[in-house]
Amino acid sequence: MKKALITTVAFVSLAACEDPNASFPTFFQEAGAVADAHGDFGAATANNIAIQNGDKSYTISLAKRFADEVNSTVNFEFNSAVLDDSARATLRQQAQWIAQFPEVRFRVYGHTDAVGSQAYNKRLGLRRARAAVSYLVSQGIDRSRLEAVASFGETQPVIVTQDRERRNRRTVTEVSGFVQAHPNILDGKYAAVIYREYIASAVPIPTGAVPSIAKDGG
């Protein structure tokens, strides 16, 4: 028994000598390895390398950024393709984002709820997509960069129901590709966008914008 115990200790010691990280991880691993418990350390660098190597699509990256930064969906009243105030406000926000990337194309997909025939709903969804595209054009976006080419009708609901459902009556704007098959977007125009965002981020908050502590409840 004692001999077996000694052998086990010797084996563990030998393994530790062969792998110094097992005993001294903070000394032998790269800087930040211990703090990077979730694998986020260096994510920007990894993303850039993936883009340069072609492992990550520019279109996918921009599509994710668009979805993260802008509300991509507008909703409609029942059996209507009319844009209400909320829809127009969302489309103005989309137009501001789209204007920053003149080399990028977008598609607008129209959807309906399940009330009505499939053929009618397909036409209605396309009318909604065209209404959204027309409004984006009115906000200064080149029509050649916008496509209302697909209407899913009632086939892709957000909420699965046969009843009227506002969340299903919608259009969704998505990045679809690049004008003239741009190999990448790291050109002068994109650099100007980054520079503008950088300058805007450095503007100090006005003193008067700091809210005072309210004395009364409400």
Side-chain angles (χ1 to χ4, degrees):
M1 180 69 179
K2 183 182 294 184
K3 183 178 180 180
L5 179 62
I6 294 174
T7 302
T8 301
V9 172
F11 177 78
V12 172
S13 300
L14 180 60
C17 292
E18 292 177 351
D19 183 10
N21 290 342
S23 301
F24 307 102
T26 59
F27 293 101
F28 292 95
Q29 294 180 358
E30 66 274 13
V34 176
D36 185 27
H38 301 289
D40 297 328
F41 188 79
T45 299
N47 179 75
N48 290 337
I49 292 174
I51 291 290
Q52 295 298 325
N53 290 341
D55 296 332
K56 191 171 186 179
S57 167
Y58 282 105
T59 303
I60 295 175
S61 296
L62 270 181
K64 183 178 185 304
R65 179 176 173 183
F66 180 77
D68 288 343
E69 297 180 3
V70 179
N71 182 3
S72 60
T73 302
V74 300
N75 297 102
F76 294 82
E77 294 298 324
F78 179 73
N79 195 28
S80 173
V82 177
L83 300 169
D84 59 19
D85 291 341
S86 176
R88 290 192 292 272
T90 297
L91 289 170
R92 285 194 295 271
Q93 183 187 33
Q94 291 182 15
Q96 292 174 359
W97 199 98
I98 292 171
Q100 298 179 79
F101 298 92
E103 58 282 289
V104 182
R105 291 183 182 273
F106 292 80
R107 283 182 182 154
V108 180
Y109 298 96
H111 302 264
T112 70
D113 58 26
V115 180
S117 70
Q118 185 172 1
Y120 180 82
N121 283 340
K122 188 173 181 65
R123 294 193 298 272
L124 177 59
L126 187 56
R127 283 168 48 206
R128 287 171 173 167
R130 287 173 174 167
V133 165
S134 295
Y135 192 82
L136 290 172
V137 171
S138 76
Q139 299 301 301
I141 305 302
D142 191 336
R143 179 64 180 81
S144 65
R145 297 173 52 211
L146 301 170
E147 301 174 273
V149 298
S151 170
F152 293 118
E154 63 188 44
T155 62
Q156 294 189 2
V158 174
I159 305 298
V160 180
T161 176
Q162 295 299 312
D163 299 326
R164 297 185 183 188
E165 175 54 59
R166 178 176 173 82
R167 284 170 289 183
N168 291 339
R169 303 192 299 265
R170 70 200 191 279
T171 61
V172 180
T173 306
E174 296 180 358
V175 173
S176 63
F178 290 92
V179 176
Q180 298 176 350
H182 257 259
N184 58 60
I185 57 173
L186 298 179
D187 59 7
K189 293 178 181 178
Y190 187 68
V193 172
I194 298 302
Y195 179 74
R196 183 174 68 249
E197 293 178 347
Y198 173 75
I199 294 299
S201 69
V203 176
I205 300 175
T207 304
V210 179
S212 59
I213 300 175
K215 295 181 179 179
D216 299 324

